[in-house]
Amino acid sequence: MNFSWLEDFLALAASGNFSRAAEERHMTQPAFSRRVRALEEWLGADLFDRSTQPARLTAAGEWFRPQAEDLLARVGRLPPQARATAEANASTLRLAATHMLSFSFVPRWLQSLEPHAVLGQVRLVSDVLQHCEALLAQRQVQFVIAHGLAGASGGLDAAGARSLAIGSDWLLPLHAPGAPARALLGFSDESGLGRIVRQVLGAELAHAGLQPVFTAHLASVLRSMALDRRGLAWLPQSLVHEDLQAQRLQVSGPAHWRIPVEIRLYRDAAPLGVHAEAFWQAAEKLAAGSRAEPLRVGE
């Protein structure tokens, strides 16, 4: 018996129309009719009275309808239950982090966690925030590390994820000496940093006369373009502190263009399993013991 036959049966039971049900199930009517007949042969009973228009359920069909609904519901619950069971006993930590944080923050932060937790095997996925969010929603990863606007909720917060501030940073408007004053180097829509800039300054920048000349989702790419005197870019201070000290890049614009951000660890609100929960508790302990004043501009 093919479980898709149950969906065919329920589609036909809802309308009694073979053509409409076949279209709903994305197949030709002859193929759909053969599948319904195959289910009836497997059960050993006619489920539909085909002498009427629309077709009506027989007594056996009326009995089978709730059985089919229950079977499909139970089958649908199996994958998440299997994943939850596997996750509860998993020893591999699955993290996703935005590209910049993957190489600039995560290795150092994981090292600082080692005295507080047995990390074991760690699998890190580096991607844009939009894809990291999808991985967490699909439970393909247990945690996401990304920038968030300080003191404000973001997309993952709105989706019900729990978060923990594990670091601080600034998004600074930067340009190289001699760069065009109104040329904007911007983040693409998939970028979490770009999302923050648009949330805080989107309306203002639209009226500030800045002209977008280049877009990318990697902060490192925008940094290279800014150093090449191509325009103004909002970049994390942690990425460009050496450029600031050497005066290869300079802060531009009014003071409120400097955006304080947090580095956050996100997780699903549901239980994650023993190993992942121990990791979360260690991260909470480390964050509580290392809370300090936010990074100052220029540090």
Side-chain angles (χ1 to χ4, degrees), residues 25-279:
R25 298 290 292 145
H26 305 291
M27 66 184 77
T28 64
Q29 182 176 334
F32 179 80
S33 297
R34 286 194 296 271
R35 286 162 62 112
V36 173
R37 180 60 71 184
L39 175 61
E40 292 176 317
E41 290 174 356
W42 181 79
L43 286 170
D46 289 337
L47 299 174
F48 294 94
D49 180 357
R50 293 166 171 78
S51 66
T52 64
Q53 290 295 330
R56 295 178 180 176
L57 289 170
T58 63
E62 293 285 0
W63 168 84
F64 186 65
R65 188 173 193 170
Q67 311 303 322
E69 292 170 342
D70 180 62
L71 280 170
L72 285 174
R74 290 167 62 186
V75 168
R77 291 193 295 267
L78 290 176
Q81 289 173 352
R83 287 194 296 269
T85 300
E87 189 169 276
N89 296 279
S91 59
T92 299
L93 291 170
R94 305 189 305 278
L95 312 178
T98 53
H99 289 291
M100 192 209 112
L101 292 175
S102 293
F103 68 82
S104 68
F105 176 82
V106 172
R108 173 170 43 87
W109 180 72
L110 287 176
Q111 187 177 25
S112 70
L113 267 181
E114 289 178 350
H116 305 276
V118 178
L119 298 183
Q121 183 177 353
V122 178
R123 185 180 303 158
L124 176 66
V125 177
S126 180
D127 214 321
V128 295
L129 179 58
Q130 191 175 79
H131 295 163
C132 291
E133 290 173 334
L135 291 173
L136 186 65
Q138 297 161 8
R139 298 183 73 94
Q140 295 186 42
V141 299
Q142 299 152 316
F143 302 97
V144 165
I145 300 175
H147 282 98
L149 180 61
S153 61
L156 284 171
D157 300 286
R162 294 168 60 186
S163 67
L164 175 68
I166 57 176
S168 63
D169 209 340
W170 286 85
L171 272 178
L172 301 177
L174 301 169
H175 72 281
R182 298 188 180 280
L184 177 62
L185 309 173
F187 287 100
S188 61
D189 292 341
E190 301 93 340
S191 166
L193 294 177
R195 187 186 299 177
I196 293 172
V197 174
R198 289 188 293 273
Q199 180 180 349
V200 177
L201 298 172
E204 180 176 347
L205 296 182
H207 296 88
L210 297 178
Q211 299 297 320
V213 297
F214 185 82
T215 301
H217 62 261
L218 292 178
S220 57
V221 174
L222 296 185
R223 170 182 173 268
S224 297
M225 296 294 289
L227 288 170
D228 201 33
R229 298 182 174 85
R230 300 296 184 91
L232 173 71
W234 266 260
L235 298 170
Q237 182 173 339
S238 57
L239 178 67
V240 297
H241 65 277
E242 293 182 359
D243 299 318
L244 289 169
Q245 290 177 351
Q247 298 186 346
R248 292 188 292 267
L249 292 175
Q250 300 174 351
V251 180
S252 180
H256 70 272
W257 280 14
R258 306 168 190 181
I259 306 172
V261 293
E262 296 171 340
I263 300 170
R264 294 179 183 166
L265 177 68
Y266 292 93
R267 57 159 288 177
D268 195 286
L272 296 178
V274 175
H275 192 57
E277 289 291 351
F279 174 81

